[in-house]
Amino acid sequence: MVDNQKIEKKIGEVLGLEMAAQKAVEQLMSKGILDKSDIKKEVQEIREDANNHQTQLEELCQKLSESEGLNEDNIKNTATETEQKATKMMQTYLGTNPDLSEALEFLSIAEGGEVVHYEGLDSLAKEFKDKDLAKKTKSILTEEKNHLDKCIQLVKQNVLDN
């Protein structure tokens, strides 16, 4: 059986990465970096999915806190810390004047990080009492892998267009 603290930490990490992904897309779009129509559409869909994932995870956390005794405050604290770290990484990576190529590469790095963290949660969730966590994690993991593939394709497309 998996320790609740491990599950809380890993859920908090993926939740924080979902929050950071939304923030990154919003900041890059507000700077006009992602204004190419095909790129803007794809990235907006990824942001919307991140928002949906966040909502699903928050609802699941509430359920698991009641049924399995998970500590929502621990999850929220880890999520906040993870979001802050990811945002700092973005600022460091992109600097003050990023271009489209750098923005797309960063989004690919961020999606790759999400996939890795969801893979970790997926392994833990398989051993957790409540099977809704494993089911939800597997579903989101599939979507995150698709996001990573989309970002990689956008990077390749952008390189060819320039």
Side-chain angles (χ1 to χ4, degrees), residues 55-138:
T55 301
Q56 290 175 44
L57 288 168
E58 288 170 344
E59 289 170 358
L60 185 60
C61 286
Q62 186 175 13
K63 175 190 172 273
L64 293 176
S65 73
E66 295 166 5
S67 67
E68 303 299 330
L70 292 188
N71 185 321
E72 283 188 274
D73 288 336
N74 288 347
I75 294 168
K76 288 177 185 177
N77 289 339
T78 300
T80 300
E81 182 182 324
T82 301
E83 178 189 17
Q84 290 169 348
K85 287 178 182 178
T87 299
K88 186 175 180 179
M89 286 172 47
M90 179 183 80
Q91 292 165 344
T92 301
Y93 186 88
L94 295 176
T96 56
N97 193 24
D99 62 19
L100 178 59
S101 180
E102 292 168 324
L104 292 173
E105 289 165 356
F106 177 77
L107 292 176
S108 296
I109 292 167
E111 288 299 333
E114 285 184 82
V115 168
V116 169
H117 279 77
Y118 273 107
E119 288 284 3
L121 179 58
D122 184 53
S123 292
L124 288 173
K126 289 175 184 173
E127 304 298 320
F128 193 61
K129 296 170 267 190
D130 186 296
K131 296 306 170 194
D132 286 344
L133 178 61
K135 206 162 93 176
K136 181 60 59 192
T137 300
K138 183 59 92 180

Side-chain angles (χ1 to χ4, degrees), residues 141-159:
L141 176 58
T142 299
E143 290 182 22
E144 291 300 337
K145 287 178 178 180
N146 289 335
H147 291 172
L148 178 56
D149 288 342
K150 279 184 187 179
C151 286
I152 291 169
Q153 289 306 314
L154 290 172
V155 167
K156 290 178 177 181
Q157 177 185 350
N158 183 62
V159 169

